Amino acid sequence: MLCDGMHGNPRIIYEGLAHYKTLVKLQLKCYRMKNTGFEAIGTLLRASKVLTELILRGNFINIEEAEMISNALKYNKILAKLDLSQNCIQNKGAKAIGKMLKLNKALVELKLEWNAMRLKHIAKSLKTNATVALLNLKPNKVSCGDVEMISEMLKINKALTQLSLGNNNLCITDIGDICKALEANKTLRRLDLYTTEALDSATKFITKMLTINKTLTHLNLGADKMSTGGIKHITKALKINKGLVEYSVKSVSYTHLRAHETSLHLVCRLLLEKKKKK
């Protein structure tokens, strides 16, 4: 059941939810629902035995509505994918979601980007959660203690395989903490730390992590301001790393690269050289 945009009749949607017995996917993007709509969704989540995917992106979900959904999901055993991106969940809503994640044993994918919320409540709950494999927390509010909690979670969590933290204005210290945690992590495969910060100062953390970590396969740093020297240090670590298959950076100075190479060509060349040596 897919309903996008603002021009539908909410009553029809709510009445349609009564026929939940065969509903596998529910998408209500940018619908601006009222409380009655979220009450109906809560009822659906408690009763349905087949609904596996729920997309509520861009519905201006507030704290109270986030709590309604979270309470309904605490003991839900079916829903595997939940998208609450581009809403107004904020810190109290994130706290309610965190409490839900401590009890829920079904969710595998959780998308929460653009919600102006702190990340620590989600990270804390994932220390014990054993099912969430994909977590998208792109741009939210990163404050003191958030990244520390995420780093602690990464040292313990054994389920998360994909984590997106891009555009959260992570500083050098934040990236260092995450890289240190990944030295011990054995499950995360994809990591998005996209940032516009100057990353040369964090190169030592990234290179050390890449020489130790054996499970990460995709790493996105963005790095508008990473110099060619920083790129070259990291690509040297790629010769040692045997797991990474995709490493993404943006524009850099090509002064010290081969005449025909971009930074991507350099990474590809070093990966091919590493492959030939095996």
Side-chain angles (χ1 to χ4, degrees), residues 31-58:
Y31 213 82
R32 297 192 180 186
M33 292 183 293
K34 298 181 180 179
N35 278 6
T36 51
F38 292 101
E39 288 173 359
I41 290 174
T43 300
L44 171 67
L45 290 171
R46 289 185 177 91
S48 175
K49 296 181 180 180
V50 295
L51 185 69
T52 58
E53 184 172 0
L54 176 60
I55 301 173
L56 296 174
R57 179 185 290 263

Side-chain angles (χ1 to χ4, degrees), residues 35-91:
N35 278 6
T36 51
F38 292 101
E39 288 173 359
I41 290 174
T43 300
L44 171 67
L45 290 171
R46 289 185 177 91
S48 175
K49 296 181 180 180
V50 295
L51 185 69
T52 58
E53 184 172 0
L54 176 60
I55 301 173
L56 296 174
R57 179 185 290 263
N59 277 293
F60 294 90
I61 295 173
N62 58 31
I63 296 169
E64 181 183 355
E65 291 158 351
E67 289 176 341
M68 286 183 188
I69 296 170
S70 297
N71 289 334
L73 283 173
K74 282 182 178 179
Y75 302 103
N76 179 287
K77 298 180 180 180
I78 303 297
L79 195 75
K81 299 180 180 181
L82 177 63
D83 187 348
L84 296 178
S85 303
Q86 299 177 10
N87 286 294
C88 305
I89 291 173
Q90 302 181 59
N91 296 338

Side-chain angles (χ1 to χ4, degrees), residues 17-32:
L17 291 180
H19 303 287
Y20 59 80
K21 292 183 180 180
T22 59
L23 193 62
V24 176
K25 177 179 178 180
L26 175 61
Q27 177 174 303
L28 296 171
K29 290 168 61 178
C30 304
Y31 213 82
R32 297 192 180 186

Side-chain angles (χ1 to χ4, degrees), residues 147 170-178 202 205:
V147 175
L170 300 176
C171 66
I172 303 303
T173 302
D174 292 335
I175 293 174
D177 288 341
I178 291 172
F205 301 119

Side-chain angles (χ1 to χ4, degrees), residues 170-273:
L170 300 176
C171 66
I172 303 303
T173 302
D174 292 335
I175 293 174
D177 288 341
I178 291 172
C179 286
K180 189 173 182 179
L182 287 177
E183 292 176 14
N185 183 283
K186 296 181 180 180
T187 55
L188 195 71
R189 295 186 177 278
R190 292 175 175 263
L191 177 63
D192 181 1
L193 291 178
Y194 185 98
T195 178
T196 56
E197 291 288 331
L199 282 176
D200 279 357
S201 298
T203 300
K204 61 181 180 181
F205 301 119
I206 299 168
T207 53
K208 183 181 179 183
M209 180 272 290
L210 287 174
T211 58
I212 296 174
N213 182 284
K214 297 180 181 180
T215 55
L216 200 65
T217 59
H218 295 72
L219 176 62
N220 181 20
L221 294 174
D224 283 338
K225 301 176 183 178
M226 181 177 281
S227 69
T228 301
I231 297 292
K232 293 184 77 172
H233 282 303
I234 293 174
T235 49
K236 284 180 180 179
L238 293 179
K239 290 185 176 183
I240 300 172
N241 182 289
K242 296 181 180 180
L244 204 68
V245 296
E246 183 177 316
Y247 166 56
S248 302
V249 293
K250 286 191 71 176
S251 57
V252 296
S253 170
Y254 304 141
T255 306
H256 297 95
L257 304 182
R258 291 179 179 176
H260 65 284
E261 287 185 330
T262 65
S263 61
L264 181 59
H265 290 137
L266 173 63
V267 173
C268 290
R269 172 165 60 83
L270 291 175
L271 287 174
L272 287 171
E273 290 174 0

